[in-house]
């Protein structure tokens, strides 16, 4: 039953790392259920062990190559929101708002790094904002940073200081659309594989931001 549950959810995982993590989580649940049926005392020991592991062992942080600039309130304003240099004034920025405690953010770090290496080019820049360090920026861009939030990470495309589109998007009533992000979907939604001059928002044909997912 647990295996079947994992297989049903597998296609909703954005990365291989997330799938592996979820697989081992299901495996732990299965071992706990089997142990509980045979030896309850041992099951309690396992529960205690899993709790300790959950608190003390955190997923490793991505340390590979990337072309992503870490932004703070000052640099976000001077480079993205109210650019001062000629290059920044004409640049398109893809900015990820993330938190280091967020499991999904951790899983997507490698994907975002890969996109930055693959698609960084003249006129397209990648940035990152830590909403734990700068909660005022999360508030400014209407990003919920609570533990139950569907908005971490949030990826926003800016042009000339103005938000063009974002994932996860908002519905017309202001509620957030729960969104699965993967490399193919993010590339398609933000048109990263196109030349900046050919992106739809520049021709006034930007797609509606109410898409249910980046598939």
């Amino acid at each position: 039953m647990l295996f079947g549950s994992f297989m049903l959810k597998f296609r909703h995982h954005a990365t291989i790392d997330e799938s592996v993590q979820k697989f081992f989580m299901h495996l732990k649940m299965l071992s706990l259920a089997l142990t509980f049926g045979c030896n309850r005392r041992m099951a309690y020991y396992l529960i205690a062990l899993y709790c300790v592991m959950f608190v003390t062992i955190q997923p490793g942080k991505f340390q590979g190559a990337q072309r992503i600039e870490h932004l703070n309130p000052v640099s976000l304003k001077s480079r993205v929101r109210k650019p001062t240099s000629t290059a920044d004034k004409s640049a398109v920025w893809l900015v990820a708002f993330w938190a280091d405690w967020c499991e999904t953010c951790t899983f997507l770090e490698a994907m975002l790094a890969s996109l930055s290496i693959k698609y960084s080019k003249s006129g397209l820049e990648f940035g990152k904002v830590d909403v734990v360090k700068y909660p005022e920026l999360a508030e400014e861009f209407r990003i919920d940073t609570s533990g139950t939030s569907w908005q971490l990470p949030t990826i926003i495309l800016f042009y000339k200081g103005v938000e063009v589109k974002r994932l996860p998007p908002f519905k017309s009533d202001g509620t957030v659309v729960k969104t699965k992000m993967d490399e193919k979907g993010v590339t398609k939604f933000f048109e990263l594989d196109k030349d900046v001059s050919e992106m739809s928002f520049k021709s006034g044909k930007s797609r509606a931001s109410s898409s249910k997912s980046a598939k």
Side-chain angles (χ1 to χ4, degrees):
M1 183 176 179
L2 288 172
F3 179 76
S5 172
F6 171 77
M7 293 305 295
L8 286 173
K9 293 180 180 179
F10 177 82
R11 63 191 184 90
H12 297 295
H13 298 162
T15 65
I16 294 297
D17 288 343
E18 183 178 4
S19 296
V20 170
Q21 193 272 347
K22 297 299 183 184
F23 172 77
F24 280 106
M25 182 188 72
H26 280 73
L27 195 61
K28 289 176 184 177
M29 292 172 62
L30 178 60
S31 65
L32 185 60
L34 293 174
T35 304
F36 193 83
C38 300
N39 188 327
R40 292 195 175 187
R41 177 176 293 182
M42 181 62 69
Y44 293 138
Y45 287 144
L46 280 178
I47 291 173
L49 176 62
Y50 291 160
C51 288
V52 171
M53 291 173 63
F54 178 79
V55 172
T56 59
I57 301 177
Q58 299 297 323
K61 293 185 177 181
F62 178 78
Q63 297 182 2
Q66 57 183 307
R67 294 177 181 173
I68 301 176
E69 181 171 343
H70 288 258
L71 301 167
N72 56 42
V74 174
S75 58
L76 181 70
K77 180 179 180 180
S78 64
R79 299 211 62 195
V80 182
R81 298 289 280 156
K82 294 182 179 180
T84 54
S85 71
T86 302
D88 285 338
K89 285 181 180 179
S90 60
V92 174
W93 278 86
L94 191 69
V95 181
F97 294 78
W98 68 289
D100 58 5
W101 56 261
C102 170
E103 188 177 73
T104 303
C105 296
T106 301
F107 290 139
L108 294 181
E109 274 191 302
M111 181 199 77
L112 292 172
S114 174
L115 290 174
S116 72
I117 294 294
K118 190 173 182 180
Y119 294 114
S120 282
K121 52 198 169 190
S122 178
L124 179 60
E125 304 284 348
F126 288 77
K128 205 172 187 181
V129 172
D130 186 343
V131 297
V132 175
K133 288 184 178 180
Y134 311 113
E136 67 274 22
L137 294 179
E139 184 177 354
E140 179 182 350
F141 293 102
R142 298 180 296 160
I143 299 172
D144 177 15
T145 60
S146 67
T148 58
S149 174
W150 288 350
Q151 290 184 274
L152 291 175
T154 286
I155 305 176
I156 302 179
L157 189 76
F158 293 94
Y159 178 57
K160 292 185 176 180
V162 178
E163 177 181 330
V164 176
K165 58 175 72 173
R166 72 163 63 193
L167 285 176
F170 290 110
K171 294 181 181 179
S172 58
D173 62 1
T175 58
V176 178
V177 179
K178 188 175 182 180
T179 305
K180 181 194 79 170
M181 299 188 205
D182 58 26
E183 187 166 338
K184 181 179 179 181
V186 171
T187 299
K188 181 178 179 181
F189 185 82
F190 291 110
E191 304 174 86
L192 301 180
D193 53 348
K194 292 184 179 181
D195 187 88
V196 170
S197 63
E198 297 175 349
M199 290 181 172
S200 62
F201 69 87
K202 283 201 166 188
S203 61
K205 298 179 181 179
S206 181
R207 77 187 71 180
S209 63
S210 59
S211 170
K212 290 187 178 180
S213 64
K215 292 183 180 181

